[in-house]
């Protein structure tokens, strides 16, 4: 039950011993069918325990997941809390029918999931919202469609407050202390329960697949539900103090090295380290027989979690080679003291033509090396990547070709591209691997302070082993700091007038 973010496709281990399970056919069923199916599941649960859980404020869905109920129970995404409540009421007392008030949506927050599995939350306007699983799925799908995403799969991610993880551990200690001697509890562990995050994913995945007309799984398109709670940090500290107090009582030690609040980063999400620390702390309590130190719930929580719903796509990359035909164009946007240097940049010309086609948020430009603003990039061009963040649209090969033609046909003819294509993250590997081995070829116009003789050309041509020397410094000597240089070889002053890169020798993004 780790608290890290996971994808929607959750693989469950085969059913362990002592986990109560039943097959429930709920998809596209009526309310009466769902009630009967859920009633059948409840028949396999110890009624006195169910009644106890209801009395301490545990919601219906949490009851199912805590007993490890699996199979098709989570396809009942269309059922309302009123149906679950009514079934549980009947299960508590089969001699009477539930009243109309009891059939209403659960009015209080679950003491375990804090309303997350009741689909109750506070929105960005601080308004309490109550939905069904289907309504939640509809809200998610409407956001995806409103943002204009083109998708063929999705990954569902859920982040919950650390307070819920602590609740689950505290609840398990409560259950162990109260029912540990009963036969149905023997051999059970918290790891056999279904986490709140997994349960929420199970409830939402099938309706989302239907609404978005695609499957969930490992995907570049992410739907993320982030739940936070204002009391999370305060409760973490409280539990940490009580945990240390119980440890001192049972072990006689003066302090505890495993302080929970030291491992929690903010109120948003419990880090992996915090998960381990919390679990270690509670495991220690069980080993020391300290479960009597805890009651459940420790504190009544009347405030729902805040929910932030976001969807985004991981970056997509365009690879190719660029040519720079102007000596007044920088590679990237260059601003000094609010003044632009040069008339444009390679980054802006290429990126501004790709970004609108992808409907992304922004773009980043990466290249295999760079040339100065007054140096042209000719020949086969320089390998580059354009990273498009949160693209709504993935262009086809034909559209990518149109983008390349559009850039090359720009009226100012400052920049050109070739071999443009959509590449995966492996584009990074191609560029970085090529960086170590790349060689560059230059054409330079050089002025020297005396007439040039044939012997001078031979002297310069015979020079070897200057790889890595900055070409401009190799010509003028950088005031004597670079040796040898053209000036030192010829014994005169040498200045570079114009410089062109005519080739970048890399296998990356060559013509197919």
């Amino acid at each position: 039950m780790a608290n890290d973010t996971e994808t929607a496709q959750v693989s469950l281990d085969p059913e362990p011993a002592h986990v109560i399970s039943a097959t429930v056919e709920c998809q596209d069923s009526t309310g009466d069918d769902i009630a009967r199916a859920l009633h059948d599941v409840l028949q396999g649960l110890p009624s006195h325990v169910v009644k106890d859980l209801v009395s301490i404020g545990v919601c219906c869905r949490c009851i199912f997941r805590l007993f490890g109920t699996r199979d098709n129970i989570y396809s009942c995404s269309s059922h309302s809390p009123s149906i679950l409540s009514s079934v549980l009421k009947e299960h508590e007392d089969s001699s009477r029918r539930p009243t109309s008030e009891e059939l209403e949506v659960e009015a209080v927050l679950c003491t375990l999931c804090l309303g997350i599995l009741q689909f109750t939350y506070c929105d960005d306007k601080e308004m309490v919202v109550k939905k069904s699983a289907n309504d939640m799925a509809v809200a998610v799908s409407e956001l995806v469609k409103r943002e204009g995403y083109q998708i063929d799969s999705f990954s569902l991610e859920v982040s919950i407050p650390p307070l819920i993880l602590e609740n689950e551990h505290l609840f398990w200690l409560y259950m162990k202390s109260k029912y540990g001697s009963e036969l149905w509890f023997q051999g059970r562990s918290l790891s056999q329960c279904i986490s709140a995050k997994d349960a929420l994913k199970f409830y939402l995945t099938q309706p989302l697949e239907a609404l978005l007309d695609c499957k969930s799984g490992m995907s570049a398109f992410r739907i993320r539900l982030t739940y936070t709670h204002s009391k999370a940090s305060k409760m973490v500290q409280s539990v940490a103090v009580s945990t240390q107090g119980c440890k001192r009582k049972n072990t006689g030690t003066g302090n505890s090295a495993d302080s929970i609040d030291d491992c929690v980063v903010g109120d948003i999400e419990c880090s992996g380290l915090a998960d381990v620390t919390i679990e270690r702390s509670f495991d220690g309590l069980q080993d020391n027989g300290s479960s009597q130190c805890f009651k459940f719930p420790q504190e009544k929580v009347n405030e729902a979690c805040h929910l932030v719903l976001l969807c985004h796509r991981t970056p997509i990359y365009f690879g190719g080679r660029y040519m720079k035909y102007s000596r007044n164009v920088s590679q990237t946007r260059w601003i000094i003291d609010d003044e632009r240097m040069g008339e444009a940049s390679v980054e802006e010309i290429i990126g501004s033509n790709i970004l609108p086609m992808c409907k992304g948020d922004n773009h980043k430009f990466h290249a295999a090396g760079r040339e100065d603003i007054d140096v042209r990039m000719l020949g086969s061009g320089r390998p580059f990547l354009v990273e498009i963040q949160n693209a709504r649209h993935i262009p086809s090969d034909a559209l990518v070709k149109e983008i390349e033609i559009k850039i090359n046909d720009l009226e100012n003819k400052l920049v050109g591209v070739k071999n443009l294509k959509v590449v995966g993250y492996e584009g990074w590997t191609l560029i970085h691997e090529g960086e170590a081995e790349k060689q560059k070829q230059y054409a330079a116009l050089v002025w020297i302070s005396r007439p040039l003789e044939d012997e001078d050309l031979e002297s310069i041509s015979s020079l070897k082993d200057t790889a890595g020397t900055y070409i401009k410094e190799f010509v003028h000597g950088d005031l004597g700091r670079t040796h040898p240089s053209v000036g030192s070889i010829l014994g005169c002053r040498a200045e570079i007038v114009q410089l062109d890169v005519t080739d970048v020798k890399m296998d990356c993004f060559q013509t197919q």
Side-chain angles (χ1 to χ4, degrees), residues 160-423:
I160 61 176
L163 178 59
I164 293 178
L165 180 64
E166 296 161 14
N167 278 351
E168 291 174 342
H169 281 82
L170 287 169
F171 171 81
W172 194 251
L173 290 177
Y174 167 81
M175 292 285 286
K176 185 176 181 180
S177 64
K178 191 166 186 178
Y179 301 109
S181 61
E182 297 187 12
L183 183 62
W184 67 269
F185 194 87
Q186 299 301 308
R188 293 180 61 84
S189 67
L190 183 58
S191 63
Q192 294 171 341
C193 301
I194 298 172
S195 70
K197 289 199 299 186
D198 286 350
L200 182 62
K201 294 173 190 176
F202 291 148
Y203 277 114
L204 292 179
T205 295
Q206 284 195 358
L208 277 175
E209 288 180 336
L211 291 164
L212 298 175
D213 193 26
C214 61
K215 291 294 185 180
S216 68
M218 297 299 295
S219 174
F221 178 69
R222 314 286 175 82
I223 298 171
R224 182 175 179 86
L225 285 71
T226 301
Y227 291 90
T228 60
H229 200 280
S230 61
K231 291 189 177 180
S233 290
K234 185 183 298 183
M235 292 296 291
V236 167
Q237 294 171 2
S238 175
V239 171
V241 171
S242 63
T243 300
Q244 293 172 3
C246 289
K247 283 187 175 180
R248 284 195 295 269
K249 178 179 179 181
N250 286 277
T251 65
T253 57
N255 51 38
S256 171
D258 296 325
S259 176
I260 298 175
D261 54 323
D262 289 339
C263 299
V264 175
V265 182
D267 291 342
I268 296 180
E269 187 174 5
C270 202
S271 67
L273 180 59
D275 287 354
V276 172
T277 304
I278 292 172
E279 291 178 4
R280 186 186 303 159
S281 298
F282 283 99
D283 287 344
L285 290 176
Q286 296 185 67
D287 295 340
N288 293 322
S290 305
S291 57
Q292 69 271 16
C293 295
F294 294 90
K295 65 176 182 176
F296 188 84
Q298 284 200 331
E299 180 180 336
K300 188 69 174 178
V301 178
N302 296 318
E303 180 184 347
C305 293
H306 284 71
L307 172 62
V308 175
L309 174 61
L310 295 173
C311 49
H312 71 99
R313 175 177 271 113
T314 56
I316 64 172
Y317 299 90
F318 290 77
R321 286 180 172 244
Y322 76 81
M323 288 71 66
K324 182 164 76 76
Y325 304 121
S326 170
R327 300 190 188 280
N328 195 31
V329 171
S330 57
Q331 185 187 80
T332 57
R333 189 167 180 262
W334 189 10
I335 304 294
I336 299 179
D337 295 332
D338 297 326
E339 182 179 351
R340 170 186 281 278
M341 300 290 106
E343 59 182 305
S345 70
V346 176
E347 172 188 38
E348 291 170 298
I349 292 173
I350 298 178
S352 63
N353 281 278
I354 295 178
L355 185 64
M357 297 292 189
C358 301
K359 300 179 180 178
D361 288 349
N362 48 60
H363 70 275
K364 294 181 179 180
F365 187 84
H366 314 274
R370 57 177 292 275
E371 66 282 331
D372 289 346
I373 189 171
D374 59 349
V375 176
R376 296 187 301 179
M377 180 66 239
L378 306 177
S380 61
R382 185 184 296 276
F384 73 90
L385 283 177
V386 172
E387 175 184 340
I388 303 295
Q389 298 181 331
N390 198 20
R392 274 74 170 175
H393 181 71
I394 307 295
S396 64
D397 291 342
L399 185 54
V400 173
K401 189 62 179 178
E402 289 182 20
I403 297 172
E404 179 178 316
I405 293 172
K406 180 181 178 181
I407 294 172
N408 291 333
D409 288 345
L410 290 174
E411 185 176 355
N412 54 25
K413 300 295 183 182
L414 299 177
V415 169
V417 297
K418 60 172 63 174
N419 309 330
L420 187 66
K421 59 184 177 181
V422 177
V423 298

Side-chain angles (χ1 to χ4, degrees), residues 13 49 51 60 63 82 114 131 177 229 236 249 258 310 320 351 372 397 401 424 430 436 452 456 467 482 502:
D13 294 330
V49 179
K51 184 175 181 179
C60 310
I63 291 176
S82 61
L114 306 183
K131 293 181 180 290
S177 64
H229 200 280
V236 167
K249 178 179 179 181
D258 296 325
L310 295 173
D372 289 346
D397 291 342
K401 189 62 179 178
L430 291 173
L452 188 66
D456 296 333
T482 299
T502 57

